[in-house]
Amino acid sequence: MSARKPPPNSFRSGPDEGGHFGIFGGRFVAETLMPLILELEKAYAAAKADPSYQKEMDGYLTHYVGRPSPLYFAERLTEHLGGAKIYLKREELNHTGSHKVNNVLGQILLARRMGKKRIIAETGAGMHGVATATLCARFGLDCVVYMGSVDVERQKANVFRMEMLGAKVIPVESGSKTLKDAMNDALRDWVTNVENTFYCIGTVAGPHPYPMMVRDFQSIIGRETREQLQKAEGRLPDSLVACIGGGSNAMGLFHPFLDEPSIEIYGIEAAGQGLASGLHAASIEGGRPGVLHGNRTYLLMDDDGQIKDAHSISAGLDYPGVGPEHSWLHDSGRVTYLSATDDEALNAFQMLSKLEGIIPALEPAHAIAKVLELAPKKPKDHLMVVNLSGRGDKDLHSVAAHLGGKL
C-alpha cells in the first residue's frame, strides 16, 4: 500500500475513478448498496492516507500473521524437471494456512475504523472464511460466513475450524450450492443489515473498490518476492506462475512486476474435466465478458447470457468468473492465462508432496501442474517463482476420495 504511485500508462495505474480496468470492473449494484460502496471507498482512501493504519497493519502482519513468508528454492522439483530454477513463495505458512489472511487483516482493521461490529464473508474452499473468523475472534467481532452446501461437505475441516473460532457458518442451498451462490447470499445479507455490517470479500472481484482494495492488500506477496529474490539471486525473476479463481493470490504476486516487460506472467485457471467437456471453471479461456457480483468481467455464460455452473476439484477455484483486472490483463496481452485439469492438479499435488515434503492445497496444485510443463522448456538459469497460496490439509479428504482412498 505504501509503494510509490505508478506512472501514467503503466500496467499498475488502474483502476480509474469509476473502478474500471479498460472495459472491465465498475460497480453494477442495486441502488440500496451504492451508499455502502461509496462509504467504503471513502473510508479506504482515508485509511491509505493515514500512517497509523499502515503501521498497525504492519505490526499484525509481522507478529500475528508471521510475515514475511519464505521464498523457498525447490531444489528437488527443479532437478526432477531439468529446466528452470523454481522458487516457491510460501504463503501456506501464514497464520490460518493461506494468502487470504493478508486481505482479511486489512479489511477487518478498516471495518473497525468504520465502527462496524458485524462481519460477513463468503467462502469456497473455506480459507477466506477461516481467516475472517480468526481475525473476528482476535478483535471481538461477530462473524457470519456464507458457504455453498457442496463446499460445506467437501471442506468439513474448515467448517469446523470456523465454528471453533466462533463464526456462524450458513450453508447455501440455492443454485449450484458453491462459491457463486455463497456470494449472492452474502450480498443479500449486506443490503438487509446496512447499519452495522461490513462485507469482507475474499478475492479481487465485486464492485469497486473491492478489486483494487484486495489487490493492494495482497500485493505484499509480490513486494516481498522482489526483495527476497534480489537477495537470493541478485536479480528479478524471469517468470511468475499462480492459480486463478477470482485471482487474489495471483494479483498479489503479479502486480508489483507488471511494468517489467521481460518477466513472463502466467495465470492458471481450473479446466476441471476439460474445456471441451463444459465442466470447468476457466472463465477466461472458456467464457466471455458479462456482469456478475457488481463488476464486468469474463464469465461462464450460455447463449442467453445466463451464468453457467463452474466445476473444479478445487472448491477455491470453483467460480464462474474472474477478477476484472485479470480480464483487462488478458485482453491487453500482459498476462498469459492457461488452464489445468483436475487430473493434472492431482498429479502435481502428489508430485510436490513427494519431492519437496510440501503438501499444497488443490488451488496452487493447478499452478504447479503448469510448472511441470513450462519449467522443462526453460534454460537452467531461468528463475521461475510460483505462488504456493495455501496448504493441503483441507484437501486430503477430497484427494483421498478421488484417488480411491489411496494417497
Side-chain angles (χ1 to χ4, degrees), residues 233-406:
E233 297 282 353
R235 63 184 182 90
L236 296 178
D238 297 299
S239 61
L240 307 171
V241 187
C243 65
I244 304 280
S248 65
N249 91 89
M251 193 55 66
L253 176 64
F254 298 169
H255 194 258
F257 295 98
L258 289 176
D259 286 341
E260 306 287 349
S262 64
I263 299 178
E264 302 169 4
I265 304 180
Y266 299 94
I268 315 302
E269 297 186 292
Q273 296 180 22
L275 297 182
S277 73
L279 298 173
H280 63 82
S283 304
I284 290 179
E285 283 204 76
R288 56 193 173 92
V291 174
L292 178 68
H293 295 147
N295 70 109
R296 189 170 194 263
T297 189
Y298 273 90
L299 302 170
L300 300 179
M301 297 187 293
D302 63 22
D303 292 339
D304 296 321
Q306 298 300 306
I307 302 301
K308 295 167 66 175
D309 291 342
H311 168 82
S312 173
I313 190 174
S314 161
L317 303 183
D318 198 357
Y319 182 68
V322 65
E325 192 166 6
H326 284 295
S327 295
W328 175 70
L329 289 169
H330 167 263
D331 278 11
S332 68
R334 179 61 188 97
V335 176
T336 300
Y337 291 87
L338 308 172
S339 60
T341 66
D342 291 349
D343 287 344
E344 289 171 331
L346 281 169
N347 175 60
F349 182 98
Q350 296 173 84
M351 184 175 291
L352 189 66
S353 300
K354 293 173 181 177
L355 287 177
E356 294 291 348
I358 299 171
I359 302 175
L362 282 170
E363 288 82 8
H366 285 72
I368 297 295
K370 286 296 134 173
V371 168
L372 303 186
E373 295 180 12
L374 294 168
K377 300 174 184 177
K378 305 295 184 183
K380 292 184 183 297
D381 62 350
H382 182 103
L383 301 180
M384 181 176 288
V385 175
V386 190
N387 196 4
L388 201 66
S389 57
R391 67 183 183 223
D393 312 37
K394 67 181 180 62
D395 291 318
L396 291 176
H397 176 76
S398 294
V399 170
H402 279 84
L403 297 180
K406 299 178 180 178

Side-chain angles (χ1 to χ4, degrees), residues 98-176:
S98 81
H99 69 293
K100 294 292 187 180
V101 69
N102 306 323
N103 164 55
V104 173
L105 174 64
Q107 290 199 50
I108 293 299
L109 293 181
L110 185 59
R112 294 177 73 224
R113 286 174 64 100
M114 297 173 69
K116 305 293 185 179
K117 304 293 186 182
R118 179 176 180 266
I119 309 298
I120 60 172
E122 85 295 327
T123 196
M127 298 311 292
H128 175 60
V130 167
T132 305
T134 297
L135 285 160
C136 284
R138 168 61 186 82
F139 293 110
L141 302 171
D142 292 336
C143 182
V144 175
V145 178
Y146 289 91
M147 189 173 190
S149 61
V150 168
D151 295 336
V152 168
E153 180 61 28
R154 59 180 171 175
Q155 298 291 340
K156 289 180 179 178
N158 274 344
V159 173
F160 185 66
R161 289 172 74 190
M162 286 183 270
E163 291 174 340
M164 281 290 293
L165 290 160
K168 181 180 181 181
V169 180
I170 300 180
V172 176
E173 300 291 348
S174 59
S176 59

Side-chain angles (χ1 to χ4, degrees), residues 73-93:
F73 170 44
E75 184 175 4
R76 293 198 67 215
L77 182 63
T78 296
E79 181 181 351
H80 177 78
L81 296 178
K85 191 172 184 180
I86 301 165
Y87 280 86
L88 305 178
K89 182 58 171 161
R90 300 289 305 275
E91 290 297 293
E92 95 283 7
L93 294 179

